[in-house]
Amino acid sequence: MRMKVRSRTRFAPLAANPKATSVALVVSGGDMYVCYVDEAGCTGALPSASSSVQPVFIIAGIFLPADQISSVTRAFIALKQRFFPNRLPQTSRHLDWIKLEIKGADIRRMARSTVRNDRRFAYGVIQETLSILTDHQAKIVGRVFVKPIGGDFDGTSVYSRSVQRICADFSHFLEGVNDFGIIIADSRNKAKNANISHSVFTQMYRVQGNPYSKLVEAPTFGHSDNHAGLQLTDMVCSALLFPIVAELCCLIHMQDTTHCHAQHATLRTRYGEKLRRLQYQYERHQGLGGGISLSDPLNGFRAVRLFE
């Protein structure tokens, strides 16, 4: 049973006018939500088709009800113990398993292995990951960028704009459920973290009004080995979206196939529909908002191709 909070007192963000006073708000009903943000791929440009630079960049957010996070964490620990029983000493405490990170990039490599059992193992981990998200009412939004070969790619700008878009999508979702939320992104380094958070902060306190009125704070950052939500987001980005996009959009264009493999088409076949159903999408005046968007200058593919 989901526990409801009957009433809460919150303070509205300070207005851009320094003389303005804060106003206490009483919010009735609803649940708190957390959006976990992580990325896959690098922010560097792709100089040539023979380059080993990662040809795609992905950033995604997973929305979870706060009262589901404990259950999500325990379910993900159980997944680790089931699939990786020997990765920690027998003397380890149960909760130590949260610090054992299962990297999505490792599962991605297993999914293209020539050894059938490796592939089946990877599929099992991915299937269980998606089941955890589905069973706990998770929703996914994200932005996928295929890099132009030999063209410009401003990774810093792309990252900032993508986080702002995720904030907007999350805030829209929170409007729909009439509640508030916070964003926890995977930490990179202090300078990068501060710049990203400040880019959202300046919009929250702008004179024209706060476009993210349902966010209680600018994005904060956590270490992934402490948050099951961040680890699950890494799995979605690195073990699913990255290989699906690289195979679909980049394989035929790349001479260096370090990051692209034909075997990864199986991931789209197996899990594309499950990913599609996990998206949070909504109508806006320019068309659909939210969901997983695709920017593909190489082929002009639309995001729907990722789920077919």
Side-chain angles (χ1 to χ4, degrees):
M1 180 181 293
R2 297 276 292 282
M3 181 176 67
K4 296 287 184 179
V5 179
R6 291 189 178 276
S7 65
R8 291 191 297 263
T9 300
R10 299 197 182 281
F11 288 88
L14 290 177
N17 181 354
K19 296 182 179 179
T21 57
S22 60
V23 179
L25 302 177
V26 177
V27 184
S28 298
D31 301 288
M32 188 77 170
Y33 283 81
V34 179
C35 172
Y36 295 96
V37 176
D38 200 2
E39 76 277 352
C42 69
T43 55
L46 182 64
S48 69
S50 60
S51 172
S52 61
V53 171
Q54 294 166 313
V56 300
F57 177 72
I58 297 161
I59 183 167
I62 292 180
F63 310 163
L64 281 170
D67 65 1
Q68 295 289 302
I69 291 173
S70 176
S71 178
V72 165
T73 300
R74 296 181 187 281
F76 198 52
I77 286 175
L79 179 154
K80 295 178 185 182
Q81 291 176 318
R82 175 185 170 190
F83 285 93
F84 304 91
N86 301 317
R87 290 282 292 272
L88 287 184
Q90 293 296 318
T91 55
S92 298
R93 295 172 299 178
H94 177 70
L95 295 181
D96 288 342
W97 283 86
I98 192 61
K99 298 191 293 183
L100 172 67
E101 286 200 71
I102 306 167
K103 301 305 292 183
D106 295 333
I107 302 302
R108 179 171 81 229
R109 281 191 289 272
M110 295 185 74
R112 67 172 186 250
S113 172
T114 57
V115 180
R116 182 169 177 263
N117 284 344
D118 287 348
R119 298 197 302 273
R120 293 179 64 181
F121 182 90
Y123 299 155
V125 173
I126 293 170
Q127 177 65 48
E128 288 297 314
T129 295
L130 293 177
S131 294
I132 290 172
L133 294 175
T134 300
D135 293 345
H136 292 87
Q137 298 90 51
K139 290 297 179 184
I140 297 174
V141 297
R143 304 189 77 194
V144 175
F145 298 89
V146 177
K147 299 176 184 178
I149 298 174
D152 293 332
F153 185 78
D154 186 347
T156 300
S157 175
V158 163
Y159 198 104
S160 296
R161 287 186 286 106
S162 296
V163 171
Q164 291 168 8
R165 185 68 256 166
I166 289 172
C167 288
D169 294 338
F170 187 38
S171 189
H172 186 277
F173 170 82
L174 294 169
E175 291 279 356
V177 297
N178 189 31
D179 216 318
F180 291 83
I182 61 171
I183 291 179
I184 301 176
D186 191 32
S187 181
R188 297 187 293 167
N189 63 50
K190 181 178 179 180
K192 290 179 178 179
N193 294 349
N195 286 338
I196 291 299
S197 192
H198 187 66
S199 74
V200 175
F201 174 88
T202 55
Q203 293 194 334
M204 293 176 72
Y205 292 89
R206 67 186 186 179
V207 173
Q208 300 94 323
N210 182 2
Y212 317 126
S213 59
K214 290 296 186 177
L215 299 186
V216 300
E217 254 289 10
T220 188
F221 296 83
H223 296 290
S224 58
D225 55 0
N226 294 320
H227 301 277
L230 288 178
Q231 294 178 35
L232 286 163
T233 310
D234 171 71
M235 289 293 293
V236 170
C237 288
S238 297
L240 268 178
L241 286 174
F242 185 101
I244 286 173
V245 176
E247 182 277 327
L248 174 67
C249 301
C250 304
L251 182 60
I252 63 173
H253 300 282
M254 298 297 295
Q255 298 167 22
D256 186 302
T257 55
T258 302
H259 305 291
C260 311
H261 199 283
Q263 182 64 45
H264 286 154
T266 304
L267 297 176
R268 182 158 40 97
T269 303
R270 282 176 171 262
Y271 307 114
E273 177 60 20
K274 292 181 174 65
L275 270 175
R276 186 190 66 80
R277 290 200 301 265
L278 280 166
Q279 294 180 105
Y280 171 67
Q281 290 184 302
Y282 57 93
E283 295 283 347
R284 57 179 183 169
H285 64 277
Q286 305 100 325
L288 278 178
I292 298 170
S293 67
L294 172 63
S295 172
D296 177 17
L298 299 183
N299 313 281
F301 290 159
R302 300 177 62 187
V304 66
R305 292 287 298 271
L306 303 178
F307 314 116
E308 293 176 343

